[in-house]
Amino acid sequence: MQKSLHIDPNKCTGCLQCEMACSFENHGVFNISKSRIKVFSFEHAGRKVPYTCTQCAEAWCLNACPVDAIRIDAGTGAKVVHEDVCVGCKVCTIACPFGTVNYVADSGKVQKCDLCGGEPACADACPTGAITYVEANWTGLDKMRAWAGKTDTQPRAA
Amino acid sequence: MGWTKKILRVNLSDGSIKSEPLNMQWAKDYLGQRGLATKYFVEEVDPKVEPLSPANKLIMTTGPLTGTAASTGGRYSVVTKGALTNAIACSNSGGYFGAELKFAGWDMIIFEGKSPKPVYLSIEDDKVELRDAAHLWGKTVFQTEEIIKSSHQDPQTRVCSIGRAGENGVMFACIVNDLHRAAGRSGVGTVMGSKNLKAVAVRGTKGAAQIKDPKAFMAAAKAAKKVLADNPVTGQGLPKYGTQVLMNVINEMGAMPTRNHRDVQFEDARKISGEAMHEKRPTDGKTHLVTNNACFGCTIACGRISKIDETHFTVVNKPQYWGASGGLEYEAAWALGSANGVGDLEALQYVNVLCNEDGMDPISFGATVAAAMELHDLGILTKEKIGMEAPFGSAQALVKLAEMTAVGEGFGKEIGLGSARMCAKYGKPELSMGVKSQEFPAYDSRGIQGMGLTYATSNRGACHLRSYTVASEVLGIPVKTDPLVTEGKADLVKAFQDATAVFDSSGTCVFTTFAWTLADLQPQLAAACEGEWTMESLATLGERIWNMERVFNNAAGFTAKDDDLPPRLKTEPAKTGPAKGLVSGIDKMRPEYYQVRGWTPEGVPTADTLKRLGL
């Protein structure tokens, strides 16, 4: 069963544990500037919103790559950058409509979320359940459950 | 490791900037943040220094766990000699600034001297420079952050700055970072302003790479996070209600200082409580509270983000105040509300936003207004003198005075003195409710006896965050003690003071101690930092820090006489509630405390005590 990252901004407090977990998993260092997931703050509205690659089925980054450095992980469905192949041309960063593939000057390659091979560190580190890793076909299940509860308003016999 | 092992020394007088290696012997003896920066401070600065003179220094400092995945590991502190108190000052703040400083590769910044003109410090990893701040002078904290982020073309830049209060010499000015987190107390912002230093902007891309044993550290951090999540206070109460969870609790105990401590219960406490922030307003059907908020790395998330009712008199024609902003926390709700008898939640939040916007400590500001209201009530401060009627309970007066204080307009200039100086000026020094010229926070010493001793002996003037015995006397953490008695409080206060000094030196937040003890912190430090870190060595380290601060204050001229409470708390019994009829037993607790500390009856650490602690 394929799973996908699911983000619920309402639950995000802006603690950045996800960014630290991501940088630690992928670079062995607590360094949010190397994180592949970012939490954005919208101060005026009082909102914090985590955002990262959603692993498009037809991936623009993958299709744009001239050297086939971005490939699909058969197990997770993640679009994974193969650093040994990547030439750092950055065409994928232009092709991605969402900005979730980014160049890393230190390595001269690009990086993006690869779902940590099926155990995303960000979801594991999130203390509030704002980031979860759930069945890809049913990312809306929690929202449906919450709304379903609100529709159950009919009086009933005791 | 845990430290970057590098510090920045910035001489504002001649504009020089130096990188120095961290003194690792001191890091071993004082850990980081509060302890380590205070060690640097007391070694380099004359205790008699005038706080607002160029000879005073100001240190911004992180702890070894700042910038790591340890829960709440985002703290930084400002250490200096306090403008308000003339004592050692250490003000602690969350937000994101501290972690960013660490990520840029610096454990601390020592500011010396005084700049001939307004400047701000820009840090981008190793690139550090003083830049002209003429365009920022006169601007609020909110404007300053916006202008710097925009001119650096980097929204990920983190900023701490002073508002107009710090520029204009308000004695309780703070240093605000990330819009609504503050190194709040003792006038550290006043010192920064006296140096013509407007702000520090930092962007760090190096990260915190110096973890001794990453695998062990991640395991220890994860276990400690679970302790926080499973605890009813840090796992449920604080995320839902913030520190405001206390408003109704403390009021029912009869320990809610009201109307400048004339009363110990506030009839409108419920209206300004954490519960009220969750209720829908009749005017617009919305709740005051928008969401809770975390500082860097924090898995508790006690911070409050609220929106003021757009139809409220404070903001009715001011759309700039209609957005979400920080507050109310319990201390601010108390100082702006109960202390003045004001039960208008929206007005309190408006004033709280003004305090953030212009960098004022809402505790000292609110408590000083309370003293002014009492002077007004006694006929000493007339309507003409203040420029308005200012009876207890007047939200209008509170709001007007807040608008006047940061900019030094009219009577706002005198509120900006703080209550001790203001009350002395009008011949009533006994009406200033504080210790060492710093105003009390939100717990009455008659209803929670341990807090009286906490305030009297706090090294930075009256403060709840030096030994929060409320945890034990009210919440039963780690064990329940009777808040109405003095017995055992000397030992309790010492234990809390020493443990808190360790937390304040680690990079984590003291609020973790609702759930954590040193036994939860120790494995994280031991895995992150080189050297041996045991429960015993940490306990001694906390005691060493406390005595180091004490020695500095004694040398600065403080004596046992200064470890005292205002006469009101010793002679006017609580009128209502469980503490009815009680006064503070401070005179009984103080000598017991000195003895427990290994100090002389005059409050001076003995030679044996200093030797035992390696001082």
Side-chain angles (χ1 to χ4, degrees):
Chain A
M1 182 199 320
Q2 193 170 315
K3 292 174 92 174
S4 107
L5 278 179
H6 179 54
I7 289 170
D8 181 353
N10 278 324
K11 292 182 179 167
C12 179
T13 63
C15 75
L16 310 190
Q17 285 283 349
C18 55
E19 297 197 23
M20 275 183 287
C22 180
S23 64
F24 188 76
E25 175 77 19
N26 293 297
H27 298 275
V29 52
F30 299 118
N31 186 353
I32 58 174
S33 69
K34 292 204 154 122
S35 174
R36 299 164 182 187
I37 185 166
K38 298 301 289 180
V39 178
F40 294 88
S41 181
F42 299 89
E43 297 290 347
H44 197 72
R47 289 178 70 78
K48 308 273 185 182
V49 185
Y51 196 68
T52 189
C53 173
T54 53
Q55 315 293 348
C56 311
E58 184 165 332
W60 283 267
C61 61
L62 180 151
N63 289 327
C65 181
V67 294
D68 290 334
I70 301 178
R71 299 171 196 166
I72 298 174
D73 179 306
T76 63
K79 314 305 176 290
V80 179
V81 177
H82 289 255
E83 277 208 11
D84 52 340
V85 183
C86 174
V87 294
C89 73
K90 313 184 196 69
V91 168
C92 56
T93 69
I94 300 168
C96 173
F98 307 107
T100 54
V101 193
N102 283 283
Y103 182 64
V104 182
D106 287 352
S107 63
K109 315 281 181 184
V110 296
Q111 71 166 354
K112 67 179 287 298
C113 172
D114 60 4
L115 296 176
C116 297
E119 290 176 30
C122 55
D124 185 52
C126 179
T128 63
I131 306 167
T132 48
Y133 192 52
V134 299
E135 193 190 333
N137 291 336
W138 287 106
T139 53
L141 207 59
D142 276 351
K143 249 185 242 178
M144 284 174 77
R145 182 181 293 113
W147 283 103
K150 291 188 185 181
T151 65
D152 184 23
T153 57
Q154 296 302 313
R156 62 187 76 184
Chain B
M1 296 202 237
W3 307 272
T4 69
K5 300 188 179 178
K6 274 182 8 185
I7 66 174
L8 264 177
R9 188 177 293 277
V10 179
N11 187 308
L12 294 162
S13 298
D14 65 17
S16 67
I17 297 170
K18 284 190 217 112
S19 165
E20 293 177 8
L22 184 69
N23 184 320
M24 287 312 293
Q25 181 58 47
W26 290 355
K28 190 175 146 289
D29 293 339
Y30 298 92
L31 189 55
Q33 208 176 346
R34 173 174 158 193
L36 186 54
T38 304
K39 176 64 177 169
Y40 271 88
F41 190 82
V42 303
E43 289 290 335
E44 295 185 10
V45 180
D46 176 1
K48 301 266 187 216
V49 73
E50 157 57 36
L52 299 180
S53 73
N56 194 10
K57 297 189 186 186
L58 182 139
I59 304 179
M60 294 181 178
T61 169
T62 64
L65 298 185
T66 306
T68 71
S71 185
T72 77
R75 309 300 298 188
Y76 98 103
S77 289
V78 179
V79 171
T80 186
K81 188 173 177 186
L84 186 69
T85 54
N86 271 303
I88 191 75
C90 176
S91 292
N92 183 310
S93 181
Y96 304 95
F97 178 83
E100 199 72 23
L101 181 60
K102 189 77 164 287
F103 291 159
W106 305 102
D107 286 319
M108 66 170 84
I109 316 170
I110 301 176
F111 290 102
E112 308 174 335
K114 175 184 177 174
S115 170
K117 60 183 179 55
V119 289
Y120 77 99
L121 186 73
S122 167
I123 303 173
E124 290 170 10
D125 291 337
D126 294 328
K127 190 179 159 206
V128 184
E129 57 189 32
L130 285 167
R131 293 187 182 173
D132 182 61
H135 64 300
L136 299 172
W137 208 253
K139 295 287 193 286
T140 67
V141 163
F142 297 173
Q143 291 166 333
T144 301
E145 282 203 24
E146 194 179 328
I147 294 168
I148 289 179
K149 285 182 183 185
S150 147
S151 69
H152 285 218
Q153 295 184 312
D154 186 353
Q156 298 184 84
T157 299
R158 305 294 185 182
V159 179
C160 76
S161 66
I162 54 166
R164 292 176 296 182
E167 295 177 8
N168 293 328
V170 170
M171 296 301 278
F172 43 82
C174 34
I175 302 170
V176 182
N177 58 287
D178 303 293
L179 299 177
H180 33 65
R181 306 313 309 181
R185 301 223 71 191
S186 313
V188 296
T190 323
V191 173
M192 185 159 157
S194 77
K195 299 190 171 306
N196 273 328
L197 178 63
K198 176 69 180 176
V200 178
V202 57
R203 178 83 167 96
T205 65
K206 298 182 174 187
Q210 312 83 358
I211 302 297
K212 182 173 78 178
D213 182 345
K215 210 171 154 194
F217 176 73
M218 285 305 262
K222 193 164 185 170
K225 282 175 197 166
K226 185 163 186 319
V227 173
L228 293 177
D230 291 346
N231 180 281
V233 178
T234 50
Q236 292 156 33
L238 284 174
K240 176 152 191 199
Y241 296 112
T243 52
Q244 275 274 62
V245 70
L246 288 166
M247 181 62 75
N248 288 320
V249 176
I250 301 296
N251 194 50
E252 272 161 35
M253 292 186 62
M256 170 74 58
T258 303
R259 288 172 283 268
N260 209 34
H261 287 65
R262 280 179 169 177
D263 300 300
V264 296
Q265 289 184 306
F266 181 39
E267 61 283 2
D268 283 340
R270 194 197 53 77
K271 290 190 197 165
I272 60 170
S273 67
E275 288 81 351
M277 291 168 73
H278 276 275
E279 284 164 16
K280 284 186 178 157
R281 291 186 283 240
T283 44
D284 60 3
K286 294 176 182 163
T287 59
H288 183 79
L289 183 74
V290 175
T291 184
N292 67 329
N293 222 190
C295 295
F296 182 93
C298 176
T299 56
I300 303 172
C302 75
R304 304 289 93 182
I305 300 291
S306 302
K307 277 189 186 175
I308 303 169
D309 179 352
E310 293 173 16
T311 64
H312 191 262
F313 82 88
T314 50
V315 298
V316 71
N317 288 316
K318 300 175 187 167
Q320 68 270 34
Y321 294 106
W322 292 355
S325 200
L328 283 166
E329 321 287 339
Y330 172 58
E331 297 299 332
W334 164 79
L336 305 172
S338 317
N340 301 303
V342 176
D344 180 341
L345 180 66
E346 306 297 328
L348 304 189
Q349 172 61 0
Y350 172 68
V351 174
N352 187 65
V353 172
L354 292 188
C355 285
N356 285 337
E357 184 177 34
D358 262 322
M360 293 195 290
D361 169 14
I363 301 180
S364 285
F365 168 75
T368 303
V369 170
M373 284 180 169
E374 180 158 8
L375 290 168
H376 182 65
D377 190 62
L378 296 172
I380 294 166
L381 281 176
T382 60
K383 176 188 169 193
E384 289 68 35
K385 178 70 196 168
I386 306 181
M388 69 196 82
E389 292 285 5
F392 280 120
S394 170
Q396 314 278 346
L398 173 74
V399 165
K400 195 84 191 78
L401 287 169
E403 290 169 346
M404 293 160 68
T405 298
V407 290
E409 178 192 330
F411 193 74
K413 188 91 194 158
E414 306 206 15
I415 295 289
L417 295 171
S419 67
R421 291 168 178 83
M422 183 190 73
C423 290
K425 181 172 174 181
Y426 291 98
K428 288 280 180 188
E430 70 276 15
L431 290 185
S432 168
M433 292 297 130
V435 174
K436 299 181 178 74
S437 302
Q438 178 156 288
E439 291 75 11
F440 290 125
Y443 314 87
D444 196 289
S445 312
R446 292 163 290 197
I448 308 177
Q449 292 284 331
M451 289 309 283
L453 185 60
T454 286
Y455 298 150
T457 60
S458 160
N459 287 333
R460 69 163 182 172
C463 171
H464 57 299
L465 295 170
R466 284 299 173 271
S467 50
Y468 194 67
T469 60
V470 172
S472 167
E473 298 178 271
V474 180
L475 303 170
I477 301 166
V479 286
K480 184 77 174 79
T481 52
D482 184 348
L484 302 179
V485 305
T486 60
E487 284 75 38
K489 297 299 161 63
D491 287 292
L492 187 72
V493 166
K494 176 185 179 290
F496 270 78
Q497 285 172 339
D498 293 349
T500 302
V502 179
F503 279 89
D504 285 348
S505 302
S506 70
T508 63
C509 177
V510 73
F511 284 11
T512 57
T513 60
F514 286 114
W516 288 358
T517 66
L518 278 180
D520 297 288
L521 184 64
Q522 183 268 337
Q524 301 182 77
L525 286 171
C529 306
E530 69 189 41
E532 287 290 310
W533 302 92
T534 63
M535 292 292 288
E536 294 71 32
S537 73
L538 288 173
T540 306
L541 187 138
E543 191 178 0
R544 182 181 301 129
I545 292 167
W546 191 265
N547 279 272
M548 166 174 65
E549 293 171 341
R550 178 75 182 190
V551 168
F552 179 88
N553 279 351
N554 285 346
F558 288 94
T559 66
K561 278 206 320 293
D562 301 297
D563 295 342
D564 205 359
L565 303 177
R568 169 165 290 168
L569 300 177
K570 302 204 288 182
T571 59
E572 297 177 26
K575 293 177 195 160
T576 60
K580 188 175 175 180
L582 278 186
V583 294
S584 168
I586 181 62
D587 291 329
K588 184 165 180 301
M589 291 184 283
R590 188 188 311 102
E592 293 170 5
Y593 171 82
Y594 287 170
Q595 200 166 12
V596 169
R597 274 268 171 230
W599 296 352
T600 68
E602 291 74 43
V604 179
T606 63
D608 281 351
T609 299
L610 294 178
K611 192 172 164 219
R612 178 171 59 81
L613 297 170
L615 286 166

